């Protein structure tokens, strides 16, 4: 007997409501500030169903009233909080999504979605159709039958649970049709259904297991004795009202039209503009890849809205496979106004990847692909040396600007193969980041789809993914050519679009004078790398291993139950809290699925209560240090250069700071003696020294400049210890009378206020009460009023204009602060970020200016010095021993004069054979 068809019914309100609270608003919003967390979550579930289940029938229901239950019981759902405005707005968007997918919406004015579902479910069963209801409302479980199942979300990140009758009985003991009577007895606080006071789920279940129905309970109420009898008799009216409120209606005046619910083909171009507007990047990728594999379910056209499909971007694709074509290409490049270049390689590691092909474009219609490293195609490729010699002149012509997307990667690869592509005139990824530093569309394909309405082939479509992934070298030349040429041509279109956007935002000068000049500097730093003392790390690893084993023994002994896995959250929680031996306080400790939390915040709370806590903290520091740095760093030494090469990401933060990855050399530990020992592994080669120069309190100096605070400015102008001067002002004492504790406290507040620290955090991180913390901050602002003025004015500007900016005009947008609807914790977080951004962002801008000036000076000198590391406010250089003094003076002078502030910039220099053992270098 064939399987019965299934109607998938999505409870729109319930699913949207749950997704709204499950997904953070901050992570799901558009550039314009529209919150999309509920829409995103709902749409993701909808696509899951379409792709994984491929249902024959599908419909979505929504609430349109209370089905008269509020007339039966005036307080029905009265305790529910008003729907958040942002969710109410998103429901309209969800309707748009459902319409775009050509899915029918079932609702009836005046009625709840539950009752629509109940009625439609009954009619579907009568038409020999099974039903799967996707909801977040457990009331729907009363509809379970042999032909009806209900899918409910599980707790946290576990898979959703699909209930049928056996699973329901296993969980609740009773039958699904008894759920209404259980609600009648116990009530339901979520819907404000009263039930019988004093009757809970356990008692209600026992009564129904014995008597079957609410009517039978009351038919036999006299045999029920004691307090239970009294509760039942006194609450009879409430029980029957509750029964009426809890029962889902199944006879509404709405008809199921199965033909209308057939999963229809939908036009991809109806969904595409909506997804672009909602900025659903990842969902777009899923839908687009599925579309390519599942036609004709998803219909795609490339001309209805003027969009281009994959491989249709360039009108002409020229594959350069012979000398005549190469000569013609070189002539075209030599006469070009600009050249877009893009490399295809065997991996994403720019220092080890092999060059497979070079894509070039000079206009938006024609793209060129020069294959040089495709396997099994030797006869179809010109020798790589011949190609590189031919391209050398046009790609280094100083009069022809070169464009790229993520130019650093392409530049480093080309430099490794002997062509220092220059000048780099425009990086479209960098431009998109300058335009919006929290953009979700830095990737070329996401950007093209979002802003240019161009759908490009994803790299995984060529090389696959996971275990079956191959390299670009194994892709046929023709396919690789179309893919690579599309990158080049689209980059040119992106440049044109972004130039206009930057001009409109007044960001052109910042982009051209600060960010673009950094591209070749970053490339040089990444190629240079840093020497690592591998034997030192190997010895350190062995010592750490011995210490870790010893620590484990101490922890076992202190735990009092023998050996266990210290890294297991569950086992550690049991040792700390489930045994009475340790007698650790549990009040205020949060719980997880594995028991009481063992997170660092918990250990902070418990510090000093038992010696095992400090041992666990020490154990965690050692194991993390060993795995993250001591054991990992030697594996990252490049076998060809013998150095470690980090990747600097200029677009990795929202403030303008660099980020570092593979490995992250900006995060080498410095706070503990053990952590600092890792720095000793970073060394200078023989005949060289490492020179580290960092700005002294640059963010506080910028605060003094922007806030115009007289106390801060005077302290910096006179070369005073700023934290001592602040403490003296706040405590109203002479600087020489400031104690160590008072200075430390003032230092914490000086830096904390720049990050939006409030009195709660100050109290939490000190021994002050909340009232004392409030008083201290009030006094601070009274004595140093410029800081308070800066904070107030910055918050106001962010709320009124939706952005803040650095002294050089770098903006970060906070559009949620403008809508007036965002409240609570999110507003606090946005305001703290807004306070910090102009300070930290300006510091980042100043360091970039210093690096640009220094790079030029070093290139025009005979000092033999290279910049090798950048760590926030610090530069590390590799300097020959005999030019150390001259180089130090040059670096310090350049950094201190990079940008004029109302207070002096100060740079401190240290040098040594390694990054730990350094001595001050006087200038």
């Amino acid at each position: 007997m064939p399987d019965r068809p299934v109607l998938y019914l999505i409870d729109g309100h319930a699913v949207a409501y749950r997704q709204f609270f499950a997904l953070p608003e901050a992570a799901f919003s558009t550039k314009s500030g529209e919150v999309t967390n509920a829409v995103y979550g709902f749409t993701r579930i909808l696509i899951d169903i379409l792709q994984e289940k491929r249902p024959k029938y599908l419909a979505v229901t929504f609430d349109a009233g209370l089905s008269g239950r509020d007339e039966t019981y005036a307080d029905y759902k009265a305790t529910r909080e008003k729907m958040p405005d942002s969710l109410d707005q998103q429901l309209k968007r969800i309707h748009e999504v459902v319409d775009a997918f050509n899915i029918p919406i079932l609702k009836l004015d005046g009625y709840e979605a539950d009752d629509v579902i109940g009625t439609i479910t009954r009619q579907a069963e009568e038409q020999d159709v099974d039903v799967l209801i996707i909801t977040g409302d457990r009331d729907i479980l009363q509809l379970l039958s042999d032909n009806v199942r209900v899918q409910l979300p599980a707790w946290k990140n576990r898979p959703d649970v699909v209930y049928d009758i056996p699973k329901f009985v296993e969980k609740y003991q009773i039958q699904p049709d008894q759920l209404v009577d259980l609600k009648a007895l116990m009530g339901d606080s979520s819907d404000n259904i009263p039930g019988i006071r004093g009757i809970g789920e356990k008692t209600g279940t026992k009564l129904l297991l014995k008597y079957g129905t609410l009517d039978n309970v009351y038919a036999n109420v006299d045999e029920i004795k004691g307090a239970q009898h009294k509760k039942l008799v006194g609450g009879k009216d409430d029980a029957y009202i509750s029964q009426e409120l809890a029962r889902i209606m199944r006879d509404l005046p709405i008809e199921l039209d199965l033909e209308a619910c057939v999963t229809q083909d939908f036009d991809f171009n109806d969904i595409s503009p909506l997804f672009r507007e909602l900025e659903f990047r990842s969902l777009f990728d899923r839908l687009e890849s599925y579309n390519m594999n599942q036609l004709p379910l998803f219909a795609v056209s490339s001309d209805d809205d003027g969009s281009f499909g994959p491989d249709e971007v360039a009108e002409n694709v020229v594959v350069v496979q012979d000398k005549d074509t190469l000569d013609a290409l070189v002539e075209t490049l030599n006469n070009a106004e600009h050249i877009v270049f893009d490399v295809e390689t065997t991996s994403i590691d720019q220092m080890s990847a092999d060059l497979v092909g070079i894509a070039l474009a000079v206009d938006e219609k024609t793209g060129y692909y020069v294959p040089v490293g495709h396997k099994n195609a030797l006869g179809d490729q010109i020798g790589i040396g011949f190609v590189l010699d031919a391209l050398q002149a046009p790609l280094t012509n100083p009069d022809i600007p070169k464009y790229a997307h993520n130019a650093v990667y392409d530049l480093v690869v080309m430099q490794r193969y002997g062509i220092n592509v220059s000048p780099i005139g425009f990086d479209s990824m960098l431009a998109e980041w300058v335009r919006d530093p929290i953009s979700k569309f830095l990737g070329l394909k996401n950007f093209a789809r979002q802003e240019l309405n161009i759908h490009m082939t994803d790299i995984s479509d060529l090389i696959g993914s996971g275990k079956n992934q191959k390299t670009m070298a194994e892709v046929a030349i023709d396919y690789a050519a179309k893919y690579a040429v599309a990158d080049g041509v689209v980059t040119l279109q992106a440049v044109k679009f972004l130039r206009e956007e930057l001009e409109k935002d007044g960001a052109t000068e910042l982009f051209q004078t600060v960010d673009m000049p950094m591209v070749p500097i970053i490339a040089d730093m990444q190629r240079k790398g840093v020497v690592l003392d591998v034997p030192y790390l190997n010895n350190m690893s062995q010592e750490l291993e011995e210490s870790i084993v010893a620590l484990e023994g101490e922890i076992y002994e202190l735990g009092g139950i023998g050996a266990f896995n210290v890294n297991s959250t569950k086992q550690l929680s049991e040792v700390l809290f489930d045994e009475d031996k340790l007698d650790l306080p549990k009040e205020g400790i949060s719980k997880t699925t594995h028991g009481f939390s063992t997170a660092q915040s918990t250990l902070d709370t418990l510090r000093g209560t038992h010696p095992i806590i400090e041992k666990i903290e020490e154990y965690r520091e050692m194991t993390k240090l060993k795995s993250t740095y001591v054991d990992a760093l030697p594996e990252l030494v490049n076998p060809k250069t013998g150095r470690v090469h980090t990747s600097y990401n200029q677009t990795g933060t929202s403030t303008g700071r660099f980020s570092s990855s593979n490995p992250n050399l900006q995060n080498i530990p410095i706070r503990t003696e053990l952590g600092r020992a890792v720095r000793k592994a970073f060394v200078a080669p023989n005949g060289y020294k490492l020179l580290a120069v960092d700005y002294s309190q640059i963010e506080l100096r910028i605060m003094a400049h922007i806030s115009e605070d007289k106390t801060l400015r005077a302290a910096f102008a006179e070369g005073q210890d700023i934290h001592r001067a602040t403490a003296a002002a706040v405590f109203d004492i002479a600087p020489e009378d400031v104690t160590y504790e008072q200075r430390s406290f003032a230092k914490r507040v000086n830096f904390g206020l720049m990050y939006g620290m409030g009195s709660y955090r100050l109290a939490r991180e000190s021994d002050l009460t909340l009232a004392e913390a409030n008083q201290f901050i009030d006094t601070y602002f009274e004595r140093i009023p410029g800081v308070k003025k800066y904070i107030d004015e910055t918050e106001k500007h962010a709320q009124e204009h939706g952005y803040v900016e650095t002294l050089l005009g770098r903006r970060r947008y906070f559009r949620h602060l403008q809508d007036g609807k965002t409240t609570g914790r999110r507003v606090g977080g946005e305001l703290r970020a807004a306070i910090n951004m102009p300070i930290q962002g300006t510091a980042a801008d100043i360091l970039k200016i210093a690096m640009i000036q220094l790079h030029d000076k070093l290139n025009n000198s005979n000092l033999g010095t290279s910049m090798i590391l950048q760590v926030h406010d610090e530069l590390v250089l590799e300097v020959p021993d005999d030019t150390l003094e001259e180089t130090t003076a040059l670096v310090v002078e350049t950094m201190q004069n990079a940008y004029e502030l109302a207070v002096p910039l100060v740079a401190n220099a240290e040098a040594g054979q390694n990054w730990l053992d350094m001595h001050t270098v006087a200038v």
Side-chain angles (χ1 to χ4, degrees):
M1 184 175 177
D3 291 338
R4 287 157 55 107
V6 180
L7 167 63
Y8 282 68
L9 273 179
I10 301 177
D11 184 346
H13 262 97
V15 171
Y17 200 85
R18 185 171 186 87
Q19 293 301 310
F20 177 79
F21 287 102
L23 300 174
E25 289 186 35
F28 295 92
S29 57
T30 66
K31 287 181 180 178
S32 65
E34 179 181 358
V35 177
T36 60
N37 58 335
V39 191
Y40 177 89
F42 179 94
T43 308
R44 181 180 58 186
I45 289 171
L46 181 59
I47 293 175
D48 286 343
I49 293 169
L50 288 169
Q51 292 188 351
E52 297 170 13
K53 307 301 181 183
R54 299 189 61 79
K56 182 172 183 179
Y57 303 114
L58 176 63
V60 180
T61 66
F62 287 99
D63 289 332
L66 293 176
S67 299
R69 290 183 176 88
D70 52 332
E71 297 175 11
T72 301
Y73 184 67
D75 291 332
Y76 177 67
K77 292 190 175 180
T79 55
R80 283 198 176 182
E81 292 185 11
K82 180 181 177 292
M83 180 183 291
D85 289 339
S86 58
L87 175 56
D88 188 41
Q89 292 297 317
Q90 290 188 74
L91 285 174
K92 299 171 186 175
R93 283 293 206 181
I94 290 172
H95 278 72
E96 292 180 37
V97 170
V98 176
D99 287 339
F101 275 91
N102 201 12
I103 296 169
I105 292 176
L106 307 179
K107 66 178 182 178
L108 189 61
D109 286 345
Y111 292 92
E112 294 188 65
D114 287 6
D115 302 310
V116 173
I117 292 172
T119 301
I120 294 299
T121 299
R122 176 183 59 78
Q123 294 177 14
E125 289 187 275
E126 291 170 354
Q127 297 181 48
D128 296 322
V129 173
D130 287 348
V131 180
L132 177 64
I133 305 165
I134 296 94
T135 182
D137 186 354
R138 292 183 176 270
D139 292 344
I140 298 290
L141 291 170
Q142 64 185 270
L143 300 177
L144 288 170
S145 72
D146 291 337
N147 308 116
V148 177
R149 293 172 300 148
V150 175
Q151 180 174 316
L152 289 170
W155 195 59
K156 293 211 169 178
N157 294 322
R158 296 179 182 177
D160 287 358
V161 179
V162 177
Y163 280 90
D164 54 14
I165 293 176
K167 191 166 189 67
F168 179 88
V169 174
E170 178 187 349
K171 181 172 179 64
Y172 293 98
Q173 302 179 57
I174 58 176
Q175 295 295 318
D177 60 2
Q178 292 177 293
L179 182 60
V180 174
D181 287 351
L182 179 61
K183 291 288 183 74
L185 290 165
M186 63 178 280
D188 184 347
S189 59
S190 65
D191 288 338
N192 203 34
I193 296 175
I196 300 173
R197 184 181 295 275
I199 300 291
E201 182 176 357
K202 187 175 180 181
T203 300
T205 299
K206 286 182 178 179
L207 289 169
L208 291 174
L209 287 173
K210 183 173 183 178
Y211 297 107
T213 67
L214 182 67
D215 287 342
N216 280 342
V217 169
Y218 279 102
N220 296 279
V221 73
D222 289 340
E223 70 179 51
I224 301 171
K225 305 300 181 183
Q228 223 174 81
H229 173 84
K230 186 176 181 181
K231 292 173 185 175
L232 287 167
V233 171
K236 183 175 182 179
D237 289 344
D238 283 342
Y240 277 99
I241 288 174
S242 299
Q243 184 190 55
E244 183 178 350
L245 296 174
R247 179 174 287 120
I248 291 175
M249 300 176 184
R250 311 205 68 180
D251 56 354
L252 300 189
I254 185 171
E255 294 294 327
L256 170 62
D257 182 354
L258 271 177
E259 288 305 311
C261 296
V262 172
T263 307
Q264 302 288 331
D265 295 349
F266 58 81
D267 192 335
F268 188 77
N269 295 299
D270 288 340
I271 299 173
S272 177
L274 180 59
F275 272 30
R276 281 201 305 275
E277 192 175 341
L278 294 168
E279 299 179 8
F280 284 171
R281 179 188 55 185
S282 60
L283 295 184
F284 214 136
D285 290 341
R286 286 184 56 193
L287 198 61
E288 197 168 58
S289 63
Y290 185 67
N291 162 64
M292 294 299 116
N293 298 321
Q294 299 293 335
L295 293 172
L297 177 61
F298 298 90
V300 179
S301 67
S302 61
D303 51 11
D304 287 351
D305 63 355
S307 65
F308 294 92
D311 302 332
E312 298 173 343
V313 179
E315 291 184 15
N316 304 304
V317 177
V318 179
V319 184
V320 181
Q321 295 175 285
D322 57 64
K323 184 179 182 302
D324 289 344
T325 312
L326 179 62
D327 289 343
L329 169 61
V330 170
E331 184 177 355
T332 299
L333 296 177
N334 282 330
N335 293 299
E337 292 182 7
H338 46 244
I339 299 172
V340 175
F341 76 106
D342 177 69
V343 298
E344 299 302 332
T345 60
T346 55
S347 81
I348 59 174
D349 183 351
Q350 57 205 349
M351 287 302 297
S352 63
D354 294 327
L355 185 62
V356 175
I358 305 169
L360 299 155
V362 299
D363 59 44
E364 297 177 16
K365 294 182 179 180
T366 301
Y368 302 85
Y369 183 66
V370 189
V372 295
H374 285 267
K375 294 181 179 179
N376 304 317
L378 297 179
D380 300 321
Q381 298 176 111
I382 310 172
I384 188 171
F386 194 85
V387 168
L388 295 172
D389 286 344
L391 295 178
Q392 180 77 232
L395 291 184
T396 57
N397 188 326
D399 298 322
I400 305 175
K402 316 307 185 302
Y403 304 156
H405 191 89
N406 189 16
V408 168
Y409 178 87
D410 301 272
L411 177 57
V412 168
V413 172
M414 292 299 289
Q415 287 175 338
R416 286 178 47 230
Y417 278 84
I419 301 181
N420 183 25
V421 181
S422 60
I424 306 296
F426 203 101
D427 182 336
S428 47
M429 184 175 81
L430 194 54
E432 168 64 6
W433 173 76
V434 171
R435 173 194 180 209
D436 182 1
I438 57 173
S439 172
K440 297 181 287 187
F441 304 102
L442 297 180
L444 181 61
K445 290 163 183 62
N446 287 323
F447 175 85
R449 184 176 54 222
Q450 180 67 22
E451 300 294 1
L452 306 178
N453 200 18
I454 296 174
H455 307 291
M456 302 175 68
T457 299
D458 190 84
I459 185 65
S460 62
D461 293 337
L462 268 73
I463 66 175
S465 58
K467 294 181 180 178
N468 298 320
Q469 183 172 313
K470 56 187 177 182
T471 71
M472 186 63 81
E474 299 169 272
V475 176
I477 289 176
D478 286 349
Y479 289 114
K482 290 180 181 179
Y483 173 86
V485 161
D487 281 358
V489 171
V490 171
T491 295
L492 200 52
Q493 296 183 40
V495 170
K496 180 180 178 182
F497 174 88
L498 286 164
R499 243 194 204 123
E500 295 175 358
E501 291 295 306
L502 292 176
E503 192 66 35
K504 190 193 311 178
D505 293 343
T508 300
E509 183 178 358
L510 173 74
F511 175 70
Q512 292 292 354
T513 62
V514 177
D515 294 304
M516 280 308 305
M518 286 302 304
V519 171
I521 297 173
I522 293 172
D524 284 354
M525 290 172 65
Q526 292 182 172
R527 285 187 63 217
K528 183 68 176 179
V530 60
V531 179
L532 200 67
D533 186 344
V534 174
Y536 168 80
L537 287 175
N538 290 338
N539 289 334
M540 187 176 180
S541 177
Q542 186 174 346
E543 292 173 1
L544 282 172
E545 182 63 30
E546 294 171 359
S547 298
I548 288 168
V549 171
L551 263 177
E552 282 180 329
E554 293 181 56
I555 291 170
Y556 298 157
E557 185 175 346
L558 289 168
I561 64 167
F564 67 95
N565 183 358
V566 184
N567 295 314
S568 166
T569 301
K570 185 174 185 297
Q571 292 183 38
L572 182 59
S573 179
E574 290 172 355
V575 170
L576 295 180
F577 301 108
D578 290 357
E579 301 290 332
D580 294 332
K581 295 179 181 178
L582 302 186
D583 195 30
L584 293 177
K586 300 176 184 177
E587 186 177 351
I589 305 298
S590 61
K591 270 196 164 184
T592 71
T593 53
H594 301 299
F596 284 99
S597 167
T598 61
Q600 184 57 47
S601 57
T602 299
L603 299 187
D604 290 342
T605 302
L606 296 174
R607 195 175 295 135
T609 60
H610 193 282
I612 196 173
I613 301 301
E614 284 71 21
K615 294 298 180 183
I616 292 169
E617 290 184 308
E618 191 177 350
Y619 172 87
R620 285 182 174 178
E621 181 191 5
M622 284 189 181
T623 54
K624 181 177 180 180
L625 195 68
K626 184 175 185 297
S627 62
T628 306
Y629 301 106
V630 178
D631 291 343
L633 284 172
E635 299 296 321
L636 296 173
V637 174
N638 186 298
K640 293 181 179 179
T641 67
R643 291 174 175 244
V644 171
H645 302 267
T646 186
S647 292
Y648 284 110
N649 183 0
Q650 202 173 345
T651 63
T653 71
S654 61
T655 60
R657 275 185 167 184
F658 292 158
S659 64
S660 166
S661 59
N662 300 320
N664 182 355
L665 297 185
Q666 293 182 330
N667 208 28
I668 301 298
I670 195 172
R671 299 196 175 196
T672 65
E673 183 177 349
L674 187 61
R676 286 192 294 274
V678 176
R679 292 196 164 211
K680 192 168 185 174
F682 293 85
V683 299
N686 290 335
Y688 287 79
K689 292 288 188 294
L690 293 184
L691 172 65
V693 186
D694 73 306
Y695 278 119
S696 171
Q697 300 170 338
I698 185 171
E699 293 185 4
L700 281 172
R701 293 172 189 273
I702 293 167
M703 171 65 87
H705 174 91
I706 295 178
S707 70
E708 301 180 349
D709 185 84
K710 294 179 180 179
T711 300
L712 293 181
R713 285 192 173 189
F716 280 124
E718 296 168 12
Q720 297 180 28
D721 177 334
I722 189 64
H723 303 307
R724 180 173 294 276
T726 301
V730 174
F731 291 109
D732 198 19
I733 55 179
E736 59 270 20
D737 294 332
V738 171
T739 66
Y740 173 82
E741 290 75 16
Q742 288 172 327
R743 182 190 179 279
S744 298
F745 197 76
K747 179 179 179 180
R748 182 182 302 171
V749 176
N750 273 334
F751 286 115
L753 289 175
M754 288 191 297
Y755 289 86
M757 178 182 68
S759 54
Y760 284 99
R761 181 178 158 196
L762 180 60
R764 189 174 69 246
E765 295 182 2
S766 65
D767 294 327
L768 299 182
T769 65
L770 181 58
E772 289 171 336
N774 272 315
Q775 181 58 50
F776 186 90
I777 290 178
D778 287 345
T779 304
Y780 182 101
F781 285 147
E782 180 183 326
R783 306 284 169 81
I784 309 177
V787 175
K788 174 63 172 171
K789 180 184 176 185
Y790 163 77
I791 291 172
D792 291 344
E793 290 181 349
T794 302
E795 289 183 348
K796 182 180 179 182
H797 190 278
Q799 290 170 319
E800 290 182 354
H801 301 281
Y803 71 87
V804 295
E805 60 185 9
T806 67
L807 290 177
L808 280 81
R810 185 181 307 283
R811 289 184 181 179
R812 179 183 168 183
Y813 292 92
F814 296 90
R815 295 183 179 91
H816 295 290
L817 294 176
Q818 273 187 298
D819 59 21
K821 299 173 184 175
T822 308
T823 57
R825 183 179 298 179
R826 185 173 186 190
V827 165
E830 295 268 278
L831 288 175
R832 285 191 294 274
I835 292 166
N836 173 249
M837 190 275 170
I839 305 296
Q840 190 177 103
T842 297
D845 287 343
I846 291 174
L847 186 59
K848 286 179 184 178
I849 293 170
M851 291 176 72
I852 293 166
Q853 295 175 357
L854 185 58
H855 187 260
D856 289 341
K857 291 177 181 178
L858 290 175
N859 283 346
N860 293 319
S861 73
N862 295 314
L863 296 173
T865 295
S866 302
M867 283 189 281
I868 59 172
L869 293 175
Q870 188 269 352
V871 184
H872 306 315
D873 303 329
E874 176 184 9
L875 286 180
V876 181
L877 303 94
E878 194 175 274
V879 188
D881 289 338
D882 57 359
T883 66
L884 179 61
E885 186 176 336
E886 187 179 352
T887 298
T888 302
L890 175 66
V891 175
V892 170
E893 186 273 335
T894 301
M895 290 178 65
Q896 291 187 161
N897 292 284
Y899 191 85
E900 185 175 354
L901 296 176
V903 298
L905 281 172
V906 174
N908 300 315
E910 292 185 319
Q913 201 60 44
N914 63 67
W915 200 10
L916 176 65
D917 301 321
M918 295 187 131
H919 61 273
T920 300
V921 181
V923 178

